[in-house]
Amino acid sequence: MAKLSRKVALVTGAGQGVGQGIALALAAEGAAVAVTGRALAKLEATCALIAERGGTALAVVGDVKDPTSLAAMVERTVGDLGGLDILVNNAQEVPNGKLLDVSDEAFVAGFESGPLATFRLMKLAHPHMVARGGGVIVNLASSAGIRWDMTGYGAYGAVKQAVRVLTRAGAAEWGREGIRVLTIAPHAESPGLKWWIANNPDEAEAFFRTIPLGRIGKLEEDIGRAVAALCGPDMAYLTGATIPLDGGQANFD
């Protein structure tokens, strides 16, 4: 039997990139997956891929910066799929740039789409997970938050480090209720990373030299399957940790 059979997952930003890879991997392990995001066509494409493999998926359009939309995402997931066992907070607007170049609006958008949306969805998911005897929350951070040289990454690193703190708090406060909370920090072949490589070729070349495994992770095979494993019964004693899915590059110690 698939390790996530009869589980229900909600993955934000699942129309492409890392979110799509995670949704595909969770479905492959038997979970019914609500894929959420702002573009219906992209969500339907992810659902179609899952359906082609015999899985169950639900497209839910919404904006993670809107608290009403977040509540509707969870309500629709629970109503249509029967509950909520796994939450993956993947969606994020990225406020990259040097401090003098990042606008207040970009920083606020990064905060609202990242730690604030994560905070809100964690609380929305909590009662549904408690009702089912527990669950797993996976939040996404980034090694940008621990770079030795933060030039150009201060605002982005700040919002991602806030997500890690929320993970630790959730793990500490909800562990006795059977809820595990984890952070992953992936490097993957996402549209965002491809854009960054194309626009920063010299920095990207240096970046690749610092990855011990010598490559960027594949969306489903490397990142999605790792998340599926973390959500499964074999990892039932792991919570509160940051797992760097980055080929060995970052040191979170």
Side-chain angles (χ1 to χ4, degrees), residues 65 93 95 102-112:
K65 294 188 292 182
E93 292 185 26
V102 176
S103 67
D104 283 6
E105 292 77 14
F107 190 29
V108 169
F111 184 84
E112 288 180 336

Side-chain angles (χ1 to χ4, degrees), residues 105-145:
E105 292 77 14
F107 190 29
V108 169
F111 184 84
E112 288 180 336
S113 63
L116 186 54
T118 295
F119 171 71
R120 287 168 168 164
L121 275 173
M122 286 172 64
K123 293 198 297 180
L124 287 165
H126 175 267
H128 299 289
M129 291 184 173
V130 170
R132 289 167 73 86
V136 183
I137 298 171
V138 179
N139 299 325
L140 269 75
S142 170
S143 58

Side-chain angles (χ1 to χ4, degrees), residues 194-217:
K194 289 179 179 178
W195 178 91
W196 178 81
I197 291 170
N199 287 273
N200 301 274
D202 294 337
E203 188 175 356
E205 183 179 353
F207 171 81
F208 284 119
R209 289 198 298 267
T210 66
I211 300 176
L213 292 184
R215 64 179 179 85
I216 296 296

